[in-house]
PDB file of all heavy atoms in Angstrom:
ATOM      1  N   ASP A  85      94.093 105.172 109.391  1.00  0.00           N
ATOM      2  CA  ASP A  85      93.334 105.444 108.117  1.00  0.00           C
ATOM      3  C   ASP A  85      93.793 106.689 107.514  1.00  0.00           C
ATOM      4  O   ASP A  85      93.885 106.851 106.267  1.00  0.00           O
ATOM      5  CB  ASP A  85      91.801 105.562 108.515  1.00  0.00           C
ATOM      6  CG  ASP A  85      91.212 104.164 108.964  1.00  0.00           C
ATOM      7  OD1 ASP A  85      91.822 103.231 108.718  1.00  0.00           O
ATOM      8  OD2 ASP A  85      90.071 104.263 109.543  1.00  0.00           O
ATOM      9  N   GLN A  86      94.083 107.781 108.319  1.00  0.00           N
ATOM     10  CA  GLN A  86      94.514 109.031 107.746  1.00  0.00           C
ATOM     11  C   GLN A  86      95.817 108.925 107.069  1.00  0.00           C
ATOM     12  O   GLN A  86      96.022 109.415 105.887  1.00  0.00           O
ATOM     13  CB  GLN A  86      94.633 110.035 108.811  1.00  0.00           C
ATOM     14  CG  GLN A  86      95.217 111.392 108.451  1.00  0.00           C
ATOM     15  CD  GLN A  86      95.477 112.355 109.557  1.00  0.00           C
ATOM     16  OE1 GLN A  86      95.185 111.990 110.782  1.00  0.00           O
ATOM     17  NE2 GLN A  86      95.957 113.519 109.256  1.00  0.00           N
ATOM     18  N   GLN A  87      96.817 108.222 107.663  1.00  0.00           N
ATOM     19  CA  GLN A  87      98.106 108.034 107.084  1.00  0.00           C
ATOM     20  C   GLN A  87      98.073 107.064 105.824  1.00  0.00           C
ATOM     21  O   GLN A  87      98.739 107.376 104.829  1.00  0.00           O
ATOM     22  CB  GLN A  87      99.090 107.505 108.063  1.00  0.00           C
ATOM     23  CG  GLN A  87      99.519 108.627 109.104  1.00  0.00           C
ATOM     24  CD  GLN A  87     100.326 108.017 110.248  1.00  0.00           C
ATOM     25  OE1 GLN A  87     100.260 106.880 110.633  1.00  0.00           O
ATOM     26  NE2 GLN A  87     101.214 108.979 110.685  1.00  0.00           N
ATOM     27  N   ILE A  88      97.179 106.088 105.859  1.00  0.00           N
ATOM     28  CA  ILE A  88      97.069 105.161 104.639  1.00  0.00           C
ATOM     29  C   ILE A  88      96.418 106.036 103.489  1.00  0.00           C
ATOM     30  O   ILE A  88      96.857 105.942 102.356  1.00  0.00           O
ATOM     31  CB  ILE A  88      96.180 103.968 104.941  1.00  0.00           C
ATOM     32  CG1 ILE A  88      96.970 103.022 105.920  1.00  0.00           C
ATOM     33  CG2 ILE A  88      95.800 103.251 103.690  1.00  0.00           C
ATOM     34  CD1 ILE A  88      98.167 102.471 105.365  1.00  0.00           C
ATOM     35  N   GLN A  89      95.505 106.869 103.813  1.00  0.00           N
ATOM     36  CA  GLN A  89      94.926 107.734 102.763  1.00  0.00           C
ATOM     37  C   GLN A  89      95.964 108.726 102.145  1.00  0.00           C
ATOM     38  O   GLN A  89      95.997 108.906 100.974  1.00  0.00           O
ATOM     39  CB  GLN A  89      93.693 108.514 103.343  1.00  0.00           C
ATOM     40  CG  GLN A  89      93.058 109.377 102.236  1.00  0.00           C
ATOM     41  CD  GLN A  89      92.395 108.522 101.075  1.00  0.00           C
ATOM     42  OE1 GLN A  89      91.785 107.542 101.324  1.00  0.00           O
ATOM     43  NE2 GLN A  89      92.807 108.821  99.866  1.00  0.00           N
ATOM     44  N   GLU A  90      96.773 109.341 103.054  1.00  0.00           N
ATOM     45  CA  GLU A  90      97.841 110.163 102.594  1.00  0.00           C
ATOM     46  C   GLU A  90      98.759 109.371 101.708  1.00  0.00           C
ATOM     47  O   GLU A  90      99.282 109.919 100.644  1.00  0.00           O
ATOM     48  CB  GLU A  90      98.591 110.816 103.760  1.00  0.00           C
ATOM     49  CG  GLU A  90      97.804 111.762 104.525  1.00  0.00           C
ATOM     50  CD  GLU A  90      98.501 112.298 105.765  1.00  0.00           C
ATOM     51  OE1 GLU A  90      99.635 111.927 106.093  1.00  0.00           O
ATOM     52  OE2 GLU A  90      97.813 113.006 106.530  1.00  0.00           O
ATOM     53  N   LEU A  91      99.224 108.146 102.022  1.00  0.00           N
ATOM     54  CA  LEU A  91     100.039 107.338 101.215  1.00  0.00           C
ATOM     55  C   LEU A  91      99.386 107.055  99.840  1.00  0.00           C
ATOM     56  O   LEU A  91     100.037 107.130  98.814  1.00  0.00           O
ATOM     57  CB  LEU A  91     100.423 106.053 101.908  1.00  0.00           C
ATOM     58  CG  LEU A  91     101.176 104.961 101.120  1.00  0.00           C
ATOM     59  CD1 LEU A  91     102.491 105.572 100.723  1.00  0.00           C
ATOM     60  CD2 LEU A  91     101.265 103.689 101.921  1.00  0.00           C
ATOM     61  N   ASP A  92      98.117 106.687  99.876  1.00  0.00           N
ATOM     62  CA  ASP A  92      97.396 106.372  98.715  1.00  0.00           C
ATOM     63  C   ASP A  92      97.331 107.558  97.712  1.00  0.00           C
ATOM     64  O   ASP A  92      97.600 107.471  96.520  1.00  0.00           O
ATOM     65  CB  ASP A  92      95.956 105.924  98.946  1.00  0.00           C
ATOM     66  CG  ASP A  92      95.292 105.322  97.818  1.00  0.00           C
ATOM     67  OD1 ASP A  92      95.787 104.384  97.143  1.00  0.00           O
ATOM     68  OD2 ASP A  92      94.230 105.843  97.514  1.00  0.00           O
ATOM     69  N   ASP A  93      97.055 108.754  98.361  1.00  0.00           N
ATOM     70  CA  ASP A  93      97.046 109.998  97.510  1.00  0.00           C
ATOM     71  C   ASP A  93      98.444 110.231  96.890  1.00  0.00           C
ATOM     72  O   ASP A  93      98.531 110.599  95.759  1.00  0.00           O
ATOM     73  CB  ASP A  93      96.677 111.237  98.405  1.00  0.00           C
ATOM     74  CG  ASP A  93      95.246 111.159  98.876  1.00  0.00           C
ATOM     75  OD1 ASP A  93      94.400 110.262  98.362  1.00  0.00           O
ATOM     76  OD2 ASP A  93      94.889 111.902  99.730  1.00  0.00           O
ATOM     77  N   TYR A  94      99.513 110.067  97.709  1.00  0.00           N
ATOM     78  CA  TYR A  94     100.857 110.262  97.165  1.00  0.00           C
ATOM     79  C   TYR A  94     101.199 109.275  96.069  1.00  0.00           C
ATOM     80  O   TYR A  94     101.781 109.712  95.022  1.00  0.00           O
ATOM     81  CB  TYR A  94     101.876 110.085  98.316  1.00  0.00           C
ATOM     82  CG  TYR A  94     103.317 110.239  97.900  1.00  0.00           C
ATOM     83  CD1 TYR A  94     103.811 111.449  97.622  1.00  0.00           C
ATOM     84  CD2 TYR A  94     104.138 109.088  97.691  1.00  0.00           C
ATOM     85  CE1 TYR A  94     105.238 111.566  97.277  1.00  0.00           C
ATOM     86  CE2 TYR A  94     105.395 109.218  97.236  1.00  0.00           C
ATOM     87  CZ  TYR A  94     105.937 110.431  97.072  1.00  0.00           C
ATOM     88  OH  TYR A  94     107.280 110.626  96.620  1.00  0.00           O
ATOM     89  N   LEU A  95     100.856 107.936  96.297  1.00  0.00           N
ATOM     90  CA  LEU A  95     101.135 106.963  95.287  1.00  0.00           C
ATOM     91  C   LEU A  95     100.395 107.207  94.001  1.00  0.00           C
ATOM     92  O   LEU A  95     100.974 106.849  92.859  1.00  0.00           O
ATOM     93  CB  LEU A  95     100.820 105.589  95.769  1.00  0.00           C
ATOM     94  CG  LEU A  95     101.760 105.102  96.887  1.00  0.00           C
ATOM     95  CD1 LEU A  95     101.227 103.730  97.422  1.00  0.00           C
ATOM     96  CD2 LEU A  95     103.225 104.910  96.442  1.00  0.00           C
ATOM     97  N   HIS A  96      99.351 107.866  93.990  1.00  0.00           N
ATOM     98  CA  HIS A  96      98.505 108.089  92.815  1.00  0.00           C
ATOM     99  C   HIS A  96      98.762 109.500  92.266  1.00  0.00           C
ATOM    100  O   HIS A  96      98.036 109.970  91.348  1.00  0.00           O
ATOM    101  CB  HIS A  96      96.951 107.902  93.101  1.00  0.00           C
ATOM    102  CG  HIS A  96      96.660 106.386  93.182  1.00  0.00           C
ATOM    103  ND1 HIS A  96      96.637 105.844  94.352  1.00  0.00           N
ATOM    104  CD2 HIS A  96      96.304 105.521  92.169  1.00  0.00           C
ATOM    105  CE1 HIS A  96      96.363 104.419  94.209  1.00  0.00           C
ATOM    106  NE2 HIS A  96      96.179 104.326  92.868  1.00  0.00           N
TER     107      HIS A  96
END
Side-chain angles (χ1 to χ4, degrees):
D85 291 345
Q86 176 186 2
Q87 290 175 324
I88 292 296
Q89 184 60 51
E90 289 171 6
L91 174 63
D92 190 56
D93 293 346
Y94 177 80
L95 290 174
H96 287 92

